[in-house]
């Protein structure tokens, strides 16, 4: 009972902090849709999309490494691992920054959709974003929910406040929004690094064997990260090439409202992750029925909330945005369902990560990414922005189904038996 109460309490806290973080788009939408044209809003979206592309390359998704070993090694050993992870991170950032700088005469970076001076900033922002993510994982696994929230809210307030200052007071239009994002991410990253060090989770002891082990685990996740970007963000670039930045701006508004579902999904996953990892890492084994029940309950909850978010968004879009953005309503439902399927995928992937099957995860996501490109190209060509949202939904559903299939093969679970048992209980209750 105490465990259940603690999980519920943590879920509420995560939901609250995620709600504050997710409130950025809604506090900014009434402002940005007035002060920025659909084209300028599209530029902001392209910058954020580029960040999403670069983060898995810079980070190698090493946060999964922390999750995997947090409950298996001592704090001192984990601190040494994180020290070597930060060395890898810094090396990657330097290499990418040098490459971008010295290749500007060979590569036409203007095709990305914003000036080169902002392209060169992206790896640095990703560096600080990755450090913040490491810190948040440590706080989450230590059940320090309040400290977790402080870092999220700090970044949120900086992002919101600086963006409003630069866009409105200093009339910097889209570049003001980009500057606000950059300063907010960098500041939070610096504080996160200090916090990690002060709490004994950072010891720099260069160890080639540890670096090799980290890279062996994380390198396959590079392809996983890039493939995930393709699934989540390639439609933005395809929309830009087919319909232009104005359509990107409208689609981005739909994504901002679908992010309400993302806030809820993320809160549930952050609460569930340590719970699942602890049970899968238990020396005594784990209760399969308990895990199946939790999976089913969370998956059903995701679908229900996705539909509710869509219904609410119908009204909110008309309230929070100018009339030229109202067509975004048409694309919210497929996007919220897509986010719910992504949450289901994250739960299924825990089983593969626990067995260090990161290569299998990468293969699954890469195949889905290739399918996603074809879906986006054809559906956007025929159905425009609606096609983009449907392609996104189908891609994430496919990723979930395939991952769940392999998770079931590696960890055979009594799914059908549990469903029948739970359904029987419901019928029994109704009869009574």
């Amino acid at each position: 009972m105490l465990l259940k109460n603690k999980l519920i309490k943590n879920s509420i806290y995560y939901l609250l902090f995620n709600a504050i973080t997710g409130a950025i788009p809604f506090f900014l939408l009434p402002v940005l849709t007035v002060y920025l044209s659909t084209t300028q809003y599209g530029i902001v979206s392209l910058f954020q999309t580029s960040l999403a592309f670069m983060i898995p390359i810079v980070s190698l998704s090493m946060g999964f490494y922390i999750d995997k070993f947090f409950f298996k090694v001592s704090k001192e050993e984990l601190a040494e691992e994180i020290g070597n992870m930060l060395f890898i991170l810094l090396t990657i950032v330097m290499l990418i920054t040098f490459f971008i700088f010295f290749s500007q005469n060979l590569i036409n970076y203007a095709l990305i959709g914003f000036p080169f001076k902002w392209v060169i900033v992206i790896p640095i922002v990703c560096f600080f974003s990755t450090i913040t993510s490491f810190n948040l994982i440590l706080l989450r696994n230590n059940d320090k929910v309040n400290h977790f929230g402080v870092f999220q809210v700090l970044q949120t307030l900086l992002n919101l406040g600086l963006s409003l200052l630069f866009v409105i007071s200093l009339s910097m239009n889209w570049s003001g929004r980009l500057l606000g994002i950059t300063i907010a991410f960098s500041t939070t990253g610096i504080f996160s690094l200090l916090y990690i060090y002060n709490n004994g989770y950072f010891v720099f002891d260069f160890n080639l064997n540890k670096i090799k082990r980290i890279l062996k685990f994380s390198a396959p996740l590079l392809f996983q990260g890039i493939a995930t970007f393709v699934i989540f963000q390639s439609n933005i670039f395809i929309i830009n090439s087919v319909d232009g930045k104005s359509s990107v701006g409208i689609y981005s508004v739909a994504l901002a409202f679908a992010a309400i579902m993302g806030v809820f999904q993320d809160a549930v996953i952050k609460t569930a992750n340590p719970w699942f990892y602890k049970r899968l890492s238990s020396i005594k084994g784990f209760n399969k029925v308990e895990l199946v029940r939790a999976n089913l309950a969370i998956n059903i909850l995701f679908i229900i909330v996705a539909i509710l978010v869509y219904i609410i968004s119908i009204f909110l879009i008309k309230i929070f945005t100018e009339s030229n953005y109202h067509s975004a309503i048409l694309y919210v439902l497929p996007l919220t369902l897509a986010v719910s399927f992504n949450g289901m995928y994250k739960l299924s992937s825990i089983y593969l990560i626990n067995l260090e099957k990161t290569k299998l995860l990468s293969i699954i996501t890469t195949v889905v990414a290739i399918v996603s490109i074809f879906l986006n190209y054809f559906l956007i060509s025929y159905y425009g922005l609606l096609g983009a949202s449907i392609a996104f939904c189908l891609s994430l559903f496919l990723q979930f189904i395939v991952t769940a299939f392999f998770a079931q093969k590696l960890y055979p679970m009594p799914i059908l038996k549990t469903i029948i048992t739970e359904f029987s209980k419901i019928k029994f209750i109704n009869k009574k």
Side-chain angles (χ1 to χ4, degrees):
M1 182 63 71
L2 287 174
L3 178 61
K4 287 184 178 179
N5 290 337
K6 185 177 181 181
L7 287 172
I8 293 171
K9 182 180 178 181
N10 284 352
S11 293
I12 293 172
Y13 277 130
Y14 282 128
L15 185 59
L16 176 63
F17 293 132
N18 281 359
I20 296 173
T21 303
I24 290 178
F26 300 101
F27 282 122
L28 290 178
L29 271 177
V31 176
L32 296 181
T33 55
V34 170
Y35 285 86
L36 301 180
S37 65
T38 52
T39 299
Q40 291 175 332
Y41 196 82
I43 293 173
V44 173
S45 180
L46 288 168
F47 178 79
Q48 292 174 313
T49 300
S50 300
L51 278 177
F53 169 72
M54 190 63 71
I55 284 175
I57 297 175
V58 169
S59 70
L60 291 181
S61 299
M62 288 185 287
F64 287 119
Y65 190 87
I66 299 175
D67 260 332
K68 161 68 179 173
F69 290 99
F70 185 87
F71 297 105
K72 293 186 175 183
V73 300
S74 66
K75 180 177 180 180
E76 292 73 21
E77 186 176 348
L78 185 61
E80 292 177 6
E81 298 280 3
I82 291 174
N84 284 280
M85 288 167 64
L86 291 175
F87 174 79
I88 294 171
L89 178 64
L90 183 60
T91 302
I92 293 172
V93 170
M94 291 174 64
L95 290 174
I96 292 175
T97 304
F98 285 139
F99 174 79
I100 293 173
F101 183 79
F102 290 108
S103 65
Q104 57 182 305
N105 294 325
L106 301 174
I107 300 174
N108 185 10
Y109 286 104
L111 294 174
I112 296 177
F114 47 86
F116 178 78
K117 67 180 180 180
W118 287 108
V119 176
I120 202 73
V121 165
I122 289 176
I124 301 168
V125 177
C126 292
F127 172 76
F128 288 115
S129 174
T130 302
I131 292 175
T132 301
S133 71
F134 288 174
N135 187 37
L136 293 178
I137 290 170
L138 292 170
L139 292 172
R140 184 192 69 205
N141 288 340
N142 276 308
D143 279 335
K144 293 186 177 180
V145 184
N146 291 333
H147 292 186
F148 181 100
V150 167
F151 280 95
Q152 275 202 323
V153 172
L154 171 65
Q155 190 175 72
T156 300
L157 292 176
L158 281 172
N159 201 338
L160 175 64
L162 292 174
S163 294
L164 291 175
L165 172 66
F166 297 142
V167 172
I168 299 176
S169 300
L170 301 181
S171 302
M172 294 177 66
N173 56 66
W174 61 266
S175 62
R177 177 72 178 113
L178 269 54
L179 186 59
I181 293 171
T182 300
I183 295 176
F185 274 65
S186 301
T187 304
T188 312
I190 292 169
F191 276 104
S192 292
L193 183 60
L194 292 172
Y195 191 90
I196 291 171
Y197 176 77
N198 289 333
N199 282 273
Y201 278 107
F202 173 56
V203 174
F204 183 67
D205 181 17
F206 181 84
N207 187 307
L208 189 58
N209 289 328
K210 289 183 185 294
I211 288 176
K212 287 180 180 179
R213 186 167 64 242
I214 294 167
L215 291 176
K216 182 180 179 181
F217 178 90
S218 299
L221 291 173
L222 170 62
F223 301 100
Q224 158 85 2
I226 294 174
T228 299
F229 163 81
V230 171
I231 295 170
F232 273 80
Q233 306 289 344
S234 63
N235 52 13
I236 295 291
F237 290 110
I238 295 174
I239 291 169
N240 184 46
S241 64
V242 174
D243 291 332
K245 293 183 179 64
S246 180
S247 291
V248 171
I250 294 171
Y251 187 73
S252 298
V253 168
L255 285 172
F257 281 87
I260 299 174
M261 177 61 206
V263 167
F264 178 81
Q265 180 242 87
D266 192 51
V268 173
I269 294 298
K270 282 171 180 171
T271 305
N273 260 6
W275 188 86
F276 276 91
Y277 277 113
K278 280 180 182 178
R279 276 148 186 77
L280 292 173
S281 301
S282 174
I283 299 174
K284 299 178 182 178
F286 52 87
N287 187 328
K288 290 185 176 183
V289 173
E290 184 183 31
L291 291 178
V292 172
R293 283 175 180 166
N295 265 303
L296 290 173
I298 293 172
N299 289 349
I300 292 170
L301 185 63
F302 280 158
I303 293 295
I304 294 172
V305 174
I307 295 171
L308 290 175
V309 167
Y310 164 66
I311 295 171
I312 294 170
S313 297
I314 294 174
F315 303 99
L316 291 182
I317 287 177
K318 293 179 180 179
I319 296 172
F320 279 88
T321 67
E322 296 292 296
S323 58
N324 53 333
Y325 287 93
H326 288 179
S327 60
I329 293 171
L330 299 172
Y331 322 121
V332 174
L333 181 59
L335 294 177
T336 56
L337 289 173
V339 176
S340 70
F341 294 139
N342 179 242
M344 297 177 197
Y345 156 75
K346 288 177 180 177
L347 288 178
S348 298
S349 68
I350 289 174
Y351 299 96
L352 275 64
I353 291 170
N354 192 63
L355 290 175
E356 299 187 32
K357 299 290 184 180
T358 53
K359 288 183 181 178
L360 178 56
L361 268 180
S362 295
I363 292 170
I364 293 170
T365 309
T366 300
V367 171
V368 172
I370 294 170
V371 173
S372 163
I373 291 173
F374 284 102
L375 283 174
N376 273 297
Y377 180 77
F378 288 107
L379 291 179
I380 291 173
S381 298
Y382 284 99
Y383 302 105
L385 297 183
L386 181 60
S389 61
I390 293 173
F392 184 51
C393 186
L394 291 175
S395 298
L396 288 178
F397 178 72
L398 177 62
Q399 186 185 32
F400 158 60
I401 289 296
V402 176
T403 305
F405 170 78
F406 282 103
Q408 176 66 14
K409 286 195 69 175
L410 294 169
Y411 282 106
M413 296 282 187
I415 297 175
L416 185 59
K417 181 180 178 181
T418 305
I419 292 174
I420 293 172
T421 302
E422 296 301 312
F423 183 70
S424 299
K425 289 180 181 178
I426 295 173
K427 288 181 68 176
F428 177 75
I429 291 171
N430 289 338
K431 285 180 181 179
K432 287 188 72 176

